[in-house]
Amino acid sequence: VVSASTFPRSASGGDARTDTCEIFASRRITDYQLGRTMVFLRSPRDLLALEEAREQRLHVVAQMLQGGLRRFVARKRLAKLKTESQKLFNGQKRRRGSWVLQWSGDYVGAAQNATVAKLLSRHGDGDVHFASTVVKVNRAAKSQERILLVTARALYTLKPGSWAQTNRVPLAALSGLSMSTFADGFVVVSVNAAACDRDADLVLSSPQKAEIVTVLKDAVSRLGRPEPLAISFADTLEFRSGKGGLLARGTECRTINFYEDASLGSKARAAVLNADRARLRELRELQVRIPPALASNAALQLAATA
């Protein structure tokens, strides 16, 4: 364990004599002799130095084993959740290909980030259950890149790069998740304003929508709430948003209308958010145009049309 040439993998393919020489070379030990089954060191200080180096490396080995175990447990948990996600979407939402994606949980290395560790420690949160880059639609109907992070107790949105917190919503304050029936990545996260200090919902878009919804539903169920997290599907979704404008205060009710738009072409693979300010101001409405590949041509159709 004291040489990078021999641990965790041997560069020689496991040859004992070669590995022994590599270890001595890495510790700058030259006064030794190799027998058939034994190694002879002339100076006791060299032996003590090897023992000391081994002791210093043992904690690294322990961390590697612990990390491997955590990853194994996380993969098993995610595989189980992925299977359960089929029940959440079956017959209610079109799917293009997201059901075959490999679930990873932490896509941005948040669990190893020192800034994130300090943030979670300050709020008394523990392990990262999910972390990935998403698009958040703000009160001005503009798309912002954010990192969505989910723990056992809360949902966070963070600024990419700085990892600065922009939102924290306790999972106990979530009242529901809403999606369209198309194969887009939009998710409306409804928040119970009476249960936290946030009075607006979150509108997010991500290719990992199935994983996000399943992880949130599972995490909320583990809180011991009497009612499960509600999941609904419709092509017109209502949500509460902060009023637009720099001086505006309070929230207002808005809607998002999803519709198939053949003019986007058969090759289009992404939904398009129309941020029409006049429409938003007069009707408090957003529109999301869905290409045929995510609608009538999606690989998995609704149960009623399959």
Side-chain angles (χ1 to χ4, degrees), residues 2-306:
V2 299
S3 172
S5 299
T6 59
F7 183 86
R9 293 181 178 84
S10 170
S12 68
D15 182 76
R17 295 181 69 86
T18 302
D19 286 348
T20 301
C21 293
E22 288 287 350
I23 291 172
F24 288 153
S26 68
R27 310 309 301 179
R28 298 182 180 179
I29 297 174
T30 57
D31 200 358
Y32 65 91
Q33 185 174 351
L34 300 179
R36 293 185 63 184
T37 60
M38 301 182 67
V39 179
F40 301 92
L41 294 172
R42 181 179 296 276
S43 173
R45 286 180 297 182
D46 290 338
L47 178 60
L48 292 175
L50 285 172
E51 288 293 337
E52 183 179 353
R54 177 178 174 275
E55 289 292 333
Q56 292 175 351
R57 288 285 294 174
L58 283 180
H59 79 282
V60 176
V61 176
Q63 289 177 341
M64 292 177 64
L65 292 175
Q66 292 170 352
L69 178 60
R70 283 196 296 267
R71 287 191 293 272
F72 173 75
V73 172
R75 282 196 297 269
K76 287 192 65 176
R77 173 178 166 274
L78 287 172
K80 180 181 179 182
L81 291 180
K82 185 176 181 181
T83 301
E84 294 177 355
S85 76
Q86 301 297 321
K87 302 175 184 177
L88 299 180
F89 289 84
N90 186 32
Q92 301 178 84
K93 186 174 177 67
R94 293 177 174 88
R95 309 288 296 279
R96 179 171 178 266
S98 61
W99 76 90
V100 299
L101 294 177
Q102 182 68 39
W103 287 17
S104 300
D106 185 357
Y107 295 85
V108 293
Q112 291 78 42
N113 186 280
T115 303
V116 172
K118 291 180 181 178
L119 172 66
L120 298 184
S121 177
R122 187 165 70 246
H123 290 289
D125 278 325
D127 294 340
V128 174
H129 289 188
F130 178 87
S132 182
T133 302
V134 301
V135 172
K136 176 182 175 293
V137 181
N138 66 13
R139 66 174 62 197
K142 294 182 178 180
S143 298
Q144 299 175 315
E145 187 177 82
R146 291 289 184 262
I147 292 173
L148 176 68
L149 188 147
V150 180
T151 68
R153 297 178 55 193
L155 174 155
Y156 295 80
T157 58
L158 314 173
K159 288 185 177 180
S162 67
W163 300 89
Q165 174 185 325
T166 56
N167 291 288
R168 181 183 186 274
V169 182
L171 295 187
L174 299 186
S175 58
L177 303 172
S178 304
M179 291 162 282
S180 77
T181 63
F182 298 107
D184 61 277
F186 282 89
V187 180
V188 174
V189 182
S190 299
V191 179
N192 181 2
C196 67
D197 57 359
R198 179 181 176 82
D199 55 2
D201 300 327
L202 294 171
V203 179
L204 308 173
S205 179
S206 168
Q208 286 99 22
K209 64 181 181 299
E211 187 172 352
I212 293 171
V213 170
T214 309
V215 168
L216 286 174
K217 185 172 178 62
D218 178 71
V220 170
S221 69
R222 294 175 183 272
L223 296 177
R225 286 193 348 183
E227 70 285 350
L229 184 63
I231 297 179
S232 60
F233 301 87
D235 292 336
T236 297
L237 305 178
E238 292 188 355
F239 68 101
R240 285 180 299 107
S241 171
K243 294 180 179 179
L246 295 176
L247 302 179
R249 294 292 184 269
T251 60
E252 62 185 13
C253 183
R254 295 179 178 177
T255 59
I256 308 179
N257 288 322
F258 297 82
Y259 65 95
E260 182 173 356
D261 187 352
S263 68
L264 293 176
S266 60
K267 295 183 179 180
R269 296 294 184 269
V272 178
L273 173 66
N274 282 351
D276 188 320
R277 291 187 177 182
R279 192 178 192 89
L280 179 62
R281 183 174 58 255
E282 296 174 8
L283 303 177
R284 297 186 178 90
E285 178 187 271
L286 302 177
Q287 291 184 327
V288 177
R289 300 157 61 202
I290 308 295
L294 303 182
S296 57
N297 295 336
L300 292 185
Q301 292 293 319
L302 300 178
T305 60

